[in-house]
Amino acid sequence: MSMESEARSRQTRRAWALSTPALLLLFLAAAGPLLIVLVYSFLLPGKYGNVEWGFSLDGWRGILYSRDIFDGSLKLADAHLTIFWRSVKLSLLTTIITFVVGFPTAWFIATRAPKARAMWLFLITIPFWTNLLIRTFAINEVLRNEGIVNTVLTKAGLIDAPIRMINTDFAVLVGMAYVYLPLMVLPLFAAIDRFDMKLLEAGYDLYASRMAVLRRVILPIVKPGIVAGSILVFVPSLGAYVTPRVLGGGKNMMIGNFIELQFGQGRNWPLGAALSMALLMIVMVALLVYVRAATKGSNPHG
Amino acid sequence: MTEYAIEARNAVKAFGQGDVAVRALDDVSIQIRKGEFFTLLGPSGCGKTTLLRLIAGFETPTSGQILLDGQDITALPPNRRPVNTVFQSYALFPHLTVAQNVAFGLQMLGRPRAEVDRTVERMLALVKLEPMAGRKTSQLSGGQQQRVALARALAPTPKVLLLDEPLSALDLKLRKEMQVELKRLQTETGITFVFVTHDQEEALTMSDRIGVMSAGKLQQVGAPREIYTTPVNRFVASFIGETNFLPAVLGATGAVLGSGDVLALNTGGKTGPATLAVRPEHVRLVPAAEPGSLPATITGWVYFGTDTHVHLALRDGTEVVARLQSGATGDSALTKGEAVGLRFTDGALQILGD
């Protein structure tokens, strides 16, 4: 073995040795619990929660089907599908809303003078200082029947009865868009910050209208930022728990609430575990689609 | 219709407001003829780029008009002006291939696909980049990116091509090649080129006419030879080439220099204090006390290879530089402090206004 390759392999060994604590922690904290969840999803539900040892596919079956109480036959569980559909729909809408609101915001910040830029970015991160639950209750305070919006509208004589916003999908959407907006703005800002503003002039100079410059020049170039922001918003939206619970009430459940229900009142841990794994798979598929769409035909240096 | 491709009438561009307003362009009127290679020359901050941006439409003048083919385009946005720009930083689209970059303008004009493809091919051939058509622009060298920028701007056949210091990022050898290339492209396409540069040599070698700018004002417009041999003022004389300035008082038949020496000179009827200018290559050294020569002392010299700059002082200390062709074995004949005589080539002395 030459001295050079020997030195390199020694370096590799040392790198592994040094990262052992981190890898160990990652394995125990991330992979470990996941494995437990995976195992639980194939077990039998205990009478008072928990699980009983014994192999069963009922957990997985329960994701889409429910057993008829009388004859025990399997039927498609409409309620479950509704929850899945609502989760995906609200997550997609949240992603779109945060993009539509976040893009101009990120553009505004990226085009400020460096000093002002730091201030704006600082303001964007302020919501992170407060607990998610408290922020969500603040939105509740705005939207509920006796909340700020309804009070103002009533006092102004614009409406007679309060508009019912709380405990609707709309409220969940508002809450999630508010909570996840910074996660969209920050990667968009990073992408726009790298964008060469001379390209705008080049576009206009070559007969592109403002709209064409946006579509043909700006969006394709900041696409990596759009993809990153969308992933950062879509993934946690899909698993959101606090926001639909506080703003959606008990009826407008999303997958997160549904999973919680199985581990709580539902006392069906295997179903909860199977749902968690299913959610994980949905997220992974979604990520693959995103990444595929992002890398295809985009600038490798972008 | 009109012989001018571009005309600026009393164009003023002020940045900032009120007392702190800076006039980047101060009442500039200029006429650029159809099919000519026109260069705007000046030091950085002289307003040449601002004028170019007014023509492109990226800025609107504070007052005054911009005319294209005799029509007022002052209010038109850049995407509605048949004028294209080659940017200093090239500003190529990083997400598109070379061919897609070149096609961009034509596509935005809504030209049919077959025509776009044909024109792109022709443009890439014109700048000798056919093999690179499918490459991303980031994979190209600086010189190649420059050519893509040129092809992209030329593809929609603009009435005027604006070039904003396009060669400044290239190394010397490449810059010389591109100078020749640009001139060739201009001749082949017959498109009016408006070229901005701070490099006087570039301006002299490439242009049909040059507009020299300083402090937001147009100082002189003329053919390269005209600008070099008969600069109208001290700024033009010193910015283009090197010049010796001799303060003098003009009389009827000559001038009295600061040193008290008298030069015979056709003053064209002008009298009073003035500045005489003479290029170093028009200063000759003759033996001391030769009749009609100015007495001077050699104070030093700088060897440049092909020629040597000899620094001299007149009797009152006025500095004069003479550019002499270097001898085959260097210039061992020169001695510091040696008294010599100076003579100027006939007709080389210019009387400058301020």
Side-chain angles (χ1 to χ4, degrees):
Chain A
M1 199 194 279
S2 77
M3 257 185 18
E4 198 187 325
S5 68
E6 197 176 331
R8 201 181 304 135
S9 77
R10 199 178 327 127
Q11 212 167 17
T12 314
R13 269 202 306 276
R14 188 150 29 133
W16 276 104
L18 282 174
S19 43
T20 305
L23 290 173
L24 213 64
L25 191 71
L26 264 180
F27 181 78
L28 289 178
L34 263 183
L35 273 176
I36 295 175
V37 174
L38 185 67
V39 170
Y40 272 28
S41 72
F42 290 106
L43 297 180
L44 289 163
K47 216 167 197 164
Y48 306 104
N50 212 337
V51 284
E52 279 172 20
W53 286 95
F55 180 79
S56 161
L57 285 174
D58 277 357
W60 286 92
R61 231 176 255 133
I63 296 175
L64 291 179
Y65 300 98
S66 60
R67 211 173 274 284
D68 194 286
I69 308 170
F70 301 107
D71 59 8
S73 64
L74 285 175
K75 284 196 314 195
L76 218 51
D78 297 340
H80 298 192
L81 290 178
T82 312
I83 291 171
F84 280 128
W85 170 233
R86 180 185 297 122
S87 297
V88 171
K89 184 182 71 180
L90 288 181
S91 302
L92 279 177
L93 282 173
T94 304
T95 311
I96 292 168
I97 292 172
T98 49
F99 174 71
V100 170
V101 177
F103 189 83
T105 312
W107 187 272
F108 174 83
I109 298 173
T111 48
R112 293 311 97 181
K115 228 177 175 175
R117 199 183 301 178
M119 197 263 294
W120 284 107
L121 281 177
F122 170 74
L123 288 178
I124 288 282
T125 57
I126 278 186
F128 288 125
W129 298 7
T130 316
N131 182 286
L132 172 65
L133 195 60
I134 293 170
R135 277 185 282 156
T136 312
F137 270 111
I139 292 284
N140 188 330
E141 183 55 37
V142 174
L143 295 180
R144 70 196 171 93
N145 287 357
E146 303 80 29
I148 296 169
V149 173
N150 277 318
T151 310
V152 169
L153 288 179
T154 317
K155 285 264 161 67
L158 290 170
I159 51 171
D160 299 326
I163 303 170
R164 187 170 168 271
M165 289 179 288
I166 203 70
N167 296 350
T168 62
D169 281 359
F170 170 76
V172 177
L173 205 54
V174 169
M176 291 209 298
Y178 162 68
V179 167
Y180 296 125
L181 184 60
L183 299 181
M184 179 63 90
V185 171
L186 294 176
L188 278 180
F189 164 78
I192 295 171
D193 192 37
R194 281 199 307 268
F195 180 81
D196 176 8
M197 293 295 162
K198 270 275 167 217
L199 296 180
L200 299 183
E201 285 187 354
Y204 292 138
D205 188 62
L206 291 162
Y207 312 106
S209 62
R210 286 170 159 271
M211 206 56 208
V213 167
L214 178 67
R215 272 189 30 245
R216 297 284 306 269
V217 180
I218 299 173
L219 290 183
I221 293 176
V222 301
K223 196 161 137 194
I226 299 175
V227 171
S230 300
I231 289 175
L232 286 181
V233 171
F234 183 77
V235 170
S237 293
L238 207 54
Y241 167 70
V242 171
T243 313
R245 178 69 184 270
V246 173
L247 298 173
K251 272 169 65 188
N252 297 289
M253 263 193 276
M254 287 177 64
I255 302 180
N257 311 100
F258 191 48
I259 292 171
E260 190 264 351
L261 189 67
Q262 305 313 319
F263 284 96
Q265 294 153 301
R267 274 180 274 171
N268 192 345
W269 288 25
L271 174 58
L275 282 167
S276 302
M277 296 311 291
L279 176 61
L280 188 73
M281 282 187 272
I282 294 176
V283 167
M284 271 161 64
V285 169
L287 282 184
L288 277 179
V289 172
Y290 268 135
V291 171
R292 189 68 59 80
T295 47
K296 192 174 65 183
S298 83
N299 184 3
H301 302 276
Chain B
M1 198 164 39
T2 160
E3 59 173 314
Y4 302 127
I6 286 286
E7 222 180 313
R9 288 187 185 160
N10 308 104
V12 173
K13 178 68 188 177
F15 292 103
Q17 307 217 311
D19 294 341
V20 291
V22 178
R23 285 196 161 196
L25 215 55
D26 195 358
D27 196 17
V28 169
S29 295
I30 196 169
Q31 284 107 21
I32 297 168
R33 295 179 194 134
K34 276 182 187 165
E36 79 176 333
F37 195 121
F38 191 93
T39 299
L40 289 168
L41 175 66
S44 57
C46 71
K48 57 193 193 299
T49 296
T50 306
L51 181 56
L52 199 76
R53 292 173 62 80
L54 285 185
I55 299 171
F58 300 135
E59 315 266 4
T60 42
T62 310
S63 67
Q65 282 177 304
I66 306 289
L67 282 75
L68 177 80
D69 267 357
Q71 278 176 325
D72 191 342
I73 56 161
T74 317
L76 282 187
N79 56 337
R80 304 213 0 237
R81 298 185 183 198
V83 169
N84 290 130
T85 308
V86 177
F87 295 88
Q88 186 170 13
S89 58
Y90 314 146
L92 299 176
F93 300 123
H95 58 303
L96 302 178
T97 63
V98 168
Q100 287 168 333
N101 262 282
V102 178
F104 191 90
L106 295 161
Q107 287 168 347
M108 289 299 131
L109 286 170
R111 299 281 164 78
R113 207 200 155 116
E115 188 196 323
V116 173
D117 290 347
R118 244 191 350 263
T119 313
V120 168
E121 217 167 294
R122 197 160 45 81
M123 283 301 142
L124 289 179
L126 194 66
V127 296
K128 300 175 188 136
L129 274 181
E130 298 111 308
M132 305 291 173
R135 296 266 187 99
K136 281 278 162 71
T137 55
S138 53
Q139 297 168 304
L140 303 183
S141 70
Q144 289 169 331
Q145 292 188 6
Q146 170 72 80
R147 285 161 198 268
V148 178
L150 266 169
R152 184 180 70 173
L154 283 171
T157 23
K159 289 203 169 129
V160 177
L161 186 76
L162 307 175
L163 303 103
D164 185 7
E165 307 213 19
L167 308 183
S168 58
L170 304 177
D171 61 51
L172 186 67
K173 188 164 173 291
L174 210 49
R175 191 155 60 211
K176 298 273 181 216
E177 278 175 34
M178 281 309 292
Q179 286 177 7
V180 178
E181 188 87 6
L182 271 179
K183 192 71 193 164
R184 173 181 72 86
L185 282 174
Q186 199 260 334
T187 320
E188 274 179 35
T189 57
I191 292 172
T192 310
F193 277 32
V194 181
F195 184 88
V196 160
T197 184
H198 60 263
D199 183 332
Q200 41 118 351
E201 190 190 310
E202 213 164 83
L204 290 173
T205 53
M206 296 166 75
S207 323
D208 294 322
R209 286 197 306 154
I210 298 174
V212 185
M213 292 185 69
S214 163
K217 283 191 193 304
L218 198 58
Q219 304 291 334
Q220 187 175 4
V221 179
R225 190 180 298 273
E226 196 183 328
I227 299 257
Y228 188 80
T229 56
T230 55
V232 294
N233 60 27
R234 203 183 164 111
F235 173 81
V236 176
S238 64
F239 190 72
I240 294 152
E242 284 160 66
T243 305
N244 296 303
F245 293 111
L246 309 171
V249 179
L250 301 181
T253 57
V256 182
L257 298 182
S259 57
D261 299 303
V262 178
L263 272 175
L265 180 71
N266 178 9
T267 59
K270 278 179 259 183
T271 53
T275 301
L276 302 181
V278 62
R279 301 283 182 192
E281 63 268 30
H282 294 139
V283 181
R284 283 181 295 128
L285 298 191
V286 293
E290 189 182 292
S293 73
L294 291 177
T297 319
I298 297 178
T299 58
W301 60 87
V302 182
Y303 180 64
F304 277 88
T306 53
D307 47 33
T308 303
H309 290 193
V310 182
H311 292 255
L312 305 132
L314 297 185
R315 281 191 303 185
D316 65 334
T318 308
E319 259 193 65
V320 176
V321 177
R323 181 187 293 169
L324 308 177
Q325 215 157 56
S326 299
T329 54
D331 293 276
S332 45
L334 297 169
T335 328
K336 223 173 191 173
E338 187 185 341
V340 291
L342 293 187
R343 263 172 149 2
F344 303 123
T345 313
D346 288 343
L349 270 176
Q350 297 287 321
I351 302 164
L352 295 181
D354 288 322

